[in-house]
Amino acid sequence: MSDARHVLVLPDRGAAEEAAQELGERFRLDEEPQLVRDALAGEDDAEDAQWLLVLRDEDGRLDARELDEFAQEWEGWREEP
């Protein structure tokens, strides 16, 4: 079993929180995605941040293309490992 993770980058906290809930429902996740604020370099304003959703996928059942499409629905993207 690998310790695979997927990271989705989203433009703001609201989108990230909504996407986290939708991810759980659509992909039937065993656990909630981890929500992480990623401040952009040199930015002090809390609004100038990206939000990351970190998904554990130890059994490799999540499809990268489906996650790419999902992130795009929220104006975000999936980071390549």
Side-chain angles (χ1 to χ4, degrees):
M1 226 189 279
S2 69
D3 187 24
R5 294 186 312 160
H6 299 280
V7 178
L8 305 184
V9 182
L10 299 168
D12 60 60
R13 183 179 188 147
E17 289 174 342
E18 289 180 41
Q21 182 176 354
E22 178 69 24
L23 265 171
E25 294 170 8
R26 188 182 302 187
F27 293 95
R28 299 176 192 234
L29 301 177
D30 294 333
E31 62 184 63
E32 287 285 316
Q34 180 182 5
L35 183 63
V36 179
R37 179 180 178 272
D38 184 31
L40 301 175
E43 299 294 339
D44 294 328
D45 187 350
E47 294 300 314
D48 293 328
Q50 296 172 327
W51 288 82
L52 309 178
L53 289 177
V54 180
L55 306 150
R56 287 182 30 187
D57 186 24
E58 294 173 356
D59 56 6
R61 68 178 187 84
L62 297 174
D63 182 87
R65 284 181 300 208
E66 289 180 22
L67 291 172
D68 284 336
E69 291 170 7
F70 179 85
Q72 289 172 6
E73 291 174 24
W74 299 92
E75 300 180 11
W77 65 91
R78 182 182 61 85
E79 284 288 311
E80 289 291 332

